[in-house]
């Protein structure tokens, strides 16, 4: 499918958390699968329609410790540590990406606020 799948999905994940995609309804619509849903770090659940209509949080975020776990030839679980400098908090994230109609799309996403700091995550590697 894609030779460097981890790099490709990380780029998609970084674009999904980046301001350019988050500020563009069209770009967000393209990256989210039709049946996308999310359990936000707030504990609330959202679907694609809600994300497109109400928008998503606009914060400056940086991914660390990105890993992929293939579940099937067209489904991949990803995990990472995210530092949100705007809201001054850290979260553990997971996403499920599906290969749909010739491209990878975000099917599921979850964020969990953590007291862990980046230095503790990096030192445990």
């Amino acid at each position: 499918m894609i030779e460097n799948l981890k790099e490709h999905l990380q780029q998609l994940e970084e674009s999904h958390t980046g301001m350019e995609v988050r500020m563009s309804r069209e770009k967000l619509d393209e990256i989210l699968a039709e049946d996308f849903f999310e359990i936000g770090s707030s504990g609330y659940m959202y679907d694609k329609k809600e994300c497109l209509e109400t928008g998503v949080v606009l914060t400056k975020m940086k991914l660390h410790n990105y890993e992929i776990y293939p579940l099937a030839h067209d489904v991949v679980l990803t995990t990472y540590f995210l530092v949100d400098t705007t809201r001054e908090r850290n979260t553990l994230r997971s996403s499920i990406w599906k290969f749909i109609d010739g491209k990878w799309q975000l099917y599921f996403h979850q964020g969990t606020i953590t007291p862990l700091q980046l230095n503790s995550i990096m030192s445990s590697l």
Side-chain angles (χ1 to χ4, degrees), residues 118-125:
L118 180 58
N119 60 353
S120 64
I121 293 294
M122 300 309 282
S123 66
S124 68
L125 298 177

Side-chain angles (χ1 to χ4, degrees), residues 48-109:
K48 180 175 182 171
K49 181 180 178 196
E50 290 170 303
C51 290
L52 294 178
E53 289 180 0
T54 61
V56 292
V57 177
L58 300 176
T59 63
K60 192 167 187 156
M61 300 181 261
K62 176 80 173 139
L63 281 70
H64 301 274
N65 200 25
Y66 192 81
E67 294 297 334
I68 69 169
Y69 305 90
L71 303 175
H73 76 281
D74 59 349
V75 180
V76 176
L77 167 69
T78 65
T79 61
Y80 55 97
F81 184 82
L82 188 132
V83 175
D84 180 335
T85 55
T86 303
R87 294 184 285 183
E88 297 181 349
R89 68 181 195 186
N90 300 325
T91 51
L92 294 169
R93 302 286 176 130
S94 61
S95 298
I96 295 177
W97 291 86
K98 284 184 163 185
F99 195 72
I100 303 168
D101 297 329
K103 64 182 177 181
W104 288 96
Q105 290 189 295
L106 187 56
Y107 172 75
F108 170 79
H109 185 71

Side-chain angles (χ1 to χ4, degrees), residues 39-41 90-94 110-115:
I39 301 171
S41 58
N90 300 325
T91 51
L92 294 169
R93 302 286 176 130
S94 61
Q110 181 168 2
T112 303
I113 297 171
T114 181

